[in-house]
Amino acid sequence: MEKSRKAAGPVSLATIAAATGVSISTVSRIVNGQTHRASPETVTRIQQAVESLGYKPNQIGRALKQGRSRVVAMLTANLNNPVMAMIATATEAALRDIGHVMTLCDTHDREDLQDEYLQAMRSQSVGGYILVTNIKSPGLADFVARGEPVVFACRPNPYAADPDAPGAFVGIDNEAAGAAAADRLWARGCRSPAVIMPLEGSVVTLEREAGFCRRMTELGIPPDRLARVKAPGLSHLDVGYAAAGTLFAGRPGPDGILGVSDQIAYGVYRFAMEQGIRIPDDCPVISIDGSDLNGWIAPWLDSIHVPYAEFGHHIVGQLQAIWRGETPEAAILPFHD
Amino acid sequence: MEKSRKAAGPVSLATIAAATGVSISTVSRIVNGQTHRASPETVTRIQQAVESLGYKPNQIGRALKQGRSRVVAMLTANLNNPVMAMIATATEAALRDIGHVMTLCDTHDREDLQDEYLQAMRSQSVGGYILVTNIKSPGLADFVARGEPVVFACRPNPYAADPDAPGAFVGIDNEAAGAAAADRLWARGCRSPAVIMPLEGSVVTLEREAGFCRRMTELGIPPDRLARVKAPGLSHLDVGYAAAGTLFAGRPGPDGILGVSDQIAYGVYRFAMEQGIRIPDDCPVISIDGSDLNGWIAPWLDSIHVPYAEFGHHIVGQLQAIWRGETPEAAILPFHD
DNA sequence: CTGAAAGCGCTTACAG
DNA sequence: CTGAAAGCGCTTACAG
């Protein structure tokens, strides 16, 4: 005599309690794995009822009681950027593995939207925050000060008490990546290098450029043969395109270019195509990010690979550490060149 | 005498009630815009308190009472696909505009994950579901049968009662897009066309292929000069690559190829590059999707543009209609060729 | 080993 | 025009 009538109305703890003749408290404990606090018979009886009635805990009830849900908010500067999309994908999967879900908030690099989202997420009692942004905002300052569970990715906490100990963070050593890019270009015979970065760049782009210039200088490139070009634009595609225009307007163009992101390199490529400049023959272009797509449609691009797909685990690991009350150290992942 | 002491502990309705000397009920009504049900003085007094104390409604409390939250779940087949990422971005923005937030669930085209997520989202009492997937699963069948608020995007409801009236849906006429692709290839002189699609394709890819073949036949291409190639793989990149291998292994290669998605075209490109086949000179390649990226790094690709960026509004509009108790009609958006 | 009770923050008939 | 009260589903000290 199978009792497998499915969901006639929502099944709550009370439903199970009524069906098994025990109290709600007991059901709650067992459902939450506290099986040692009840007799074995009760445990199996309840587990059977849970199974046959298809009980699933209502997360809202739980969240209200505990003041925190199993939702984690990810705030990203700009989802159109494939890098952000990759991090989001990886993080979503890692969260799922620990039974959490992710809400995605695109701040479009706007301070007001960032604060609006932080506020909104707090009203949702989310259990944690992942910030792939380093825009400063009053709300963020507040969050950091209050010690909310937040992990920064790519870009460190702009309000870190000690800049050398950024706290929960997942990223790479951008300065070293920039230097590696310099070595690579040098090895290809480049002696009049150029580096392109956004006018309103984040620390990430600044560090990559700094590493590149530092290394090029060490290699003996004089400052006047090292072009550093910035261009405005939210989209790095536009940045690369505009900067390439500036670069090639000068008499002797560069013999090698670093775009500090893949997207910048794409922008350079478009300009070069339009002008009949052949890449890499006339001028090699390299970048930092190493999107998988490059191998498919941008074979001309030599890009230092950042393991974004790995970010997910590390981010979630740090979040869990915070939940346990620990203070995680920054995870600086190796890039591959 | 400004009273702007900020948040010493969470500010709830009770806090406001205590501070203003009215009941929680009254505060709740006013906060929810029922200002006509209270005296003007009370209204302003409470609004001031809300402002100065920085009260933000706790959405968890609200959701528990109402049985539904202001969160909308988007289930997507595969976030690595830029098309999905675009739809997610657009939808997130549209939801924000109406004060909702979005959780993102990547089902990886797996039936079990889809059901797991549907279940999880229900435990979260989400207010709506957006499905960019048409994998069949028992859980989905259940959802549709129960009349849950779900909007399908790109791929129609696989459990629609009447296939010609798919209900809440946002997409394009894929058959027509396939036909348009045929016209375009024909105009470029293609007389030995090929079409590439995934082995385990969705209705979307099937319809695009069907439209293409129908139109090519109308144009007088005999069946034996119309190559239809399928290749396995979750990633369309792999599909395109493998299928191109098959196509060019045959003696006379095609003189024009339709990849039913941008990614398939990218895969073809890689194979062609490796084999020294020049695109488009030796063989034009076109596709359907029209990612913005094409203009930057895939100038060789002629792609029919699907207005994914517009999907967001339409999806949210349909969701709102459902919430109002209406039965929205499918929105078939125009593609641009 | 088990249960009654309080309470998380909100909304909403209902009564006045 | 306003308030007391019930209740959404859960957890968790506390008492037995």
Side-chain angles (χ1 to χ4, degrees):
Chain A
M1 190 140 69
E2 273 284 0
K3 186 209 288 182
S4 76
R5 55 187 157 119
K6 283 275 176 184
V11 180
S12 67
L13 281 182
T15 315
I16 305 294
T20 54
V22 300
S23 74
I24 291 179
S25 325
T26 301
V27 181
S28 174
R29 284 189 210 103
I30 292 174
V31 163
N32 287 305
Q34 306 219 11
T35 48
H36 59 103
R37 310 223 345 184
S39 72
E41 303 81 57
T42 315
V43 171
T44 53
R45 189 153 47 98
I46 289 179
Q47 285 174 336
Q48 280 170 359
V50 163
E51 180 66 28
S52 71
L53 295 176
Y55 169 72
K56 303 289 169 192
N58 178 320
Q59 299 292 334
I60 297 288
R62 180 177 213 276
L64 181 58
K65 178 64 189 173
Q66 305 207 316
R68 114 174 358 186
S69 78
R70 281 184 170 155
V71 175
V72 169
M74 172 157 162
L75 273 72
T76 160
N78 176 13
L79 257 183
N80 286 331
N81 186 333
V83 164
M84 304 288 175
M86 280 192 68
I87 297 174
T89 307
T91 306
E92 193 269 343
L95 283 171
R96 194 191 65 78
D97 288 343
I98 62 163
H100 285 242
V101 299
M102 185 180 86
T103 79
L104 199 50
C105 309
D106 189 341
T107 66
H108 300 278
D109 255 326
R110 278 171 47 188
E111 182 184 321
D112 57 333
L113 266 185
Q114 176 165 299
D115 275 355
E116 199 177 308
Y117 269 127
L118 285 173
Q119 189 61 258
M121 290 303 112
R122 203 134 78 93
S123 314
Q124 300 281 353
S125 306
V126 303
Y129 302 83
I130 298 163
L131 297 194
V132 196
T133 159
N134 72 338
I135 298 283
K136 290 197 175 201
S137 71
L140 179 53
D142 212 53
F143 256 62
V144 171
R146 255 204 320 273
E148 298 275 356
V150 13
V151 174
F152 287 83
C154 290
R155 318 178 184 183
N157 180 355
Y159 294 105
D162 174 0
D164 287 329
F169 173 75
V170 176
I172 64 160
D173 182 340
N174 287 295
E175 212 271 349
D183 283 329
R184 209 183 272 200
L185 225 35
W186 175 270
R188 292 176 69 163
C190 168
R191 295 299 179 269
S192 294
V195 53
I196 298 177
M197 58 187 299
L199 183 58
E200 315 260 332
S202 64
V203 254
V204 171
T205 58
L206 284 170
E207 289 176 3
R208 289 176 180 181
E209 188 236 13
F212 181 79
C213 293
R214 194 246 313 150
R215 186 69 186 130
M216 277 297 182
T217 304
E218 286 172 12
L219 289 167
I221 301 290
D224 61 315
R225 298 201 63 73
L226 177 51
R228 307 157 65 144
V229 186
K230 298 187 182 193
L234 216 175
S235 162
H236 282 198
L237 294 165
D238 296 327
V239 169
Y241 186 84
T246 309
L247 265 179
F248 288 108
R251 291 102 314 209
D255 64 357
I257 298 176
L258 167 66
V260 296
S261 72
D262 279 359
Q263 299 255 302
I264 289 180
Y266 297 169
V268 172
Y269 181 76
R270 179 179 196 158
F271 181 85
M273 288 295 284
E274 291 179 2
Q275 302 295 317
I277 300 164
R278 290 168 309 154
I279 291 174
D281 299 358
D282 296 342
C283 174
V285 172
I286 74 176
S287 64
I288 301 171
D289 273 347
S291 158
D292 289 340
L293 212 51
N294 296 343
W296 295 89
I297 46 172
W300 47 269
L301 179 59
D302 188 13
S303 188
I304 289 179
H305 183 256
V306 180
Y308 293 118
E310 306 298 313
F311 278 33
H313 313 112
H314 288 90
I315 288 169
V316 170
Q318 301 222 355
L319 215 39
Q320 289 181 297
I322 294 175
W323 289 333
R324 285 193 303 266
E326 302 167 14
T327 310
E329 271 191 34
I332 308 300
L333 305 186
F335 53 84
H336 190 78
D337 61 351
Chain B
M1 195 147 53
E2 274 284 1
K3 184 208 288 181
S4 75
R5 52 184 160 123
K6 282 274 177 188
V11 180
S12 66
L13 281 182
T15 315
I16 305 293
T20 54
V22 299
S23 74
I24 290 179
S25 325
T26 301
V27 180
S28 174
R29 283 189 211 104
I30 293 174
V31 163
N32 287 305
Q34 307 217 11
T35 49
H36 61 102
R37 310 222 345 185
S39 72
E41 302 82 56
T42 315
V43 171
T44 53
R45 189 153 48 98
I46 288 179
Q47 286 174 337
Q48 281 169 359
V50 163
E51 180 66 28
S52 70
L53 295 176
Y55 169 72
K56 303 289 172 192
N58 178 319
Q59 299 292 335
I60 297 288
R62 179 177 214 278
L64 181 57
K65 178 64 188 170
Q66 306 207 316
R68 104 167 14 179
S69 77
R70 282 184 169 154
V71 175
V72 169
M74 172 156 162
L75 272 71
T76 161
N78 176 12
L79 257 183
N80 287 330
N81 186 334
V83 164
M84 303 288 175
M86 279 192 69
I87 297 174
T89 308
T91 306
E92 193 269 345
L95 283 171
R96 196 192 65 77
D97 288 343
I98 63 162
H100 285 242
V101 298
M102 184 180 87
T103 77
L104 199 50
C105 309
D106 189 341
T107 66
H108 299 279
D109 255 325
R110 278 172 47 190
E111 182 185 321
D112 57 331
L113 267 185
Q114 175 166 300
D115 275 355
E116 199 177 307
Y117 269 127
L118 285 173
Q119 189 61 259
M121 290 303 112
R122 201 134 79 93
S123 314
Q124 300 281 352
S125 305
V126 304
Y129 303 83
I130 298 164
L131 296 194
V132 196
T133 159
N134 72 337
I135 298 282
K136 290 197 174 199
S137 70
L140 179 53
D142 212 55
F143 256 63
V144 170
R146 257 204 318 273
E148 298 274 357
V150 13
V151 174
F152 286 82
C154 290
R155 317 177 183 185
N157 179 355
Y159 294 105
D162 174 1
D164 288 329
F169 172 74
V170 177
I172 62 161
D173 182 342
N174 286 295
E175 212 271 349
D183 283 329
R184 208 184 274 197
L185 224 36
W186 175 270
R188 291 176 71 164
C190 167
R191 296 297 178 271
S192 294
V195 53
I196 298 177
M197 58 185 301
L199 184 57
E200 315 259 331
S202 63
V203 254
V204 170
T205 57
L206 284 170
E207 289 177 3
R208 289 177 179 180
E209 187 236 13
F212 181 79
C213 294
R214 194 245 315 149
R215 186 71 185 127
M216 276 298 181
T217 304
E218 286 173 12
L219 289 167
I221 301 289
D224 61 313
R225 298 203 62 75
L226 177 51
R228 307 155 65 141
V229 187
K230 298 186 181 192
L234 217 174
S235 161
H236 283 198
L237 294 165
D238 296 327
V239 169
Y241 186 84
T246 308
L247 265 179
F248 288 108
R251 291 102 313 209
D255 63 357
I257 298 176
L258 167 66
V260 296
S261 73
D262 279 359
Q263 299 257 301
I264 288 181
Y266 297 169
V268 172
Y269 181 75
R270 182 179 195 157
F271 180 85
M273 288 294 284
E274 291 178 2
Q275 302 294 317
I277 300 164
R278 290 168 309 153
I279 291 175
D281 300 356
D282 296 342
C283 174
V285 172
I286 74 177
S287 64
I288 301 171
D289 273 348
S291 158
D292 289 339
L293 212 50
N294 296 343
W296 295 89
I297 46 171
W300 47 269
L301 179 58
D302 188 14
S303 188
I304 290 179
H305 183 255
V306 180
Y308 294 116
E310 307 298 315
F311 278 32
H313 313 112
H314 288 90
I315 289 169
V316 171
Q318 302 222 356
L319 215 39
Q320 290 181 295
I322 295 175
W323 288 334
R324 284 193 303 267
E326 302 166 14
T327 310
E329 271 191 35
I332 307 299
L333 306 186
F335 53 84
H336 191 80
D337 60 352

